[in-house]
Amino acid sequence: MKEAFGIASFRSRQQVLKFESALKREGVRVSVITTPRDVSVGCGLSVRFELADAQRVAEVFNQLRPSNLIGFYRVEREEGRRTVTRPLG
């Protein structure tokens, strides 16, 4: 089974938790996950969101402008295959 989702990766765990909280207040379904290996910099945690919510996530980011953002990424996982992570754009 193939799954695809977005992540927001930060250098600070505090920023991850603040961004997660802000998105939840706005009604966006998110969770905190371990950052995929392909994104080798950062604190090791990222905010996971559905790709369908990417526009709303960007809007909340632009309102808050949290510091320490590494970037937004698209993550694709398929059973038995390597996870692929690309910049979301």
Side-chain angles (χ1 to χ4, degrees):
M1 182 173 146
K2 186 175 183 177
E3 73 172 325
F5 54 90
I7 62 168
S9 183
F10 293 86
R11 287 185 176 83
S12 159
R13 288 175 181 240
Q14 182 180 8
Q15 290 300 320
V16 168
L17 298 175
K18 282 184 178 182
F19 194 53
E20 175 203 27
S21 179
L23 289 167
K24 284 183 174 181
R25 280 193 307 272
E26 294 296 322
V28 180
R29 291 184 337 154
V30 295
S31 60
V32 174
I33 65 167
T34 302
T35 303
R37 274 184 242 158
D38 292 352
V39 183
S40 61
V41 294
C43 68
L45 296 177
S46 293
V47 177
R48 176 187 169 145
F49 57 89
E50 297 301 319
L51 291 171
D53 294 326
Q55 180 64 37
R56 186 69 186 122
V57 170
E59 290 169 3
V60 172
F61 175 80
N62 287 328
Q63 290 170 359
L64 297 176
R65 289 288 183 194
S67 61
N68 296 318
L69 176 74
I70 294 169
F72 292 99
Y73 298 89
R74 175 187 178 98
V75 179
E76 296 177 358
R77 290 182 181 162
E78 189 168 357
E79 193 172 324
R81 295 196 164 202
R82 184 175 168 270
T83 298
V84 177
T85 307
R86 295 185 179 104
L88 185 63

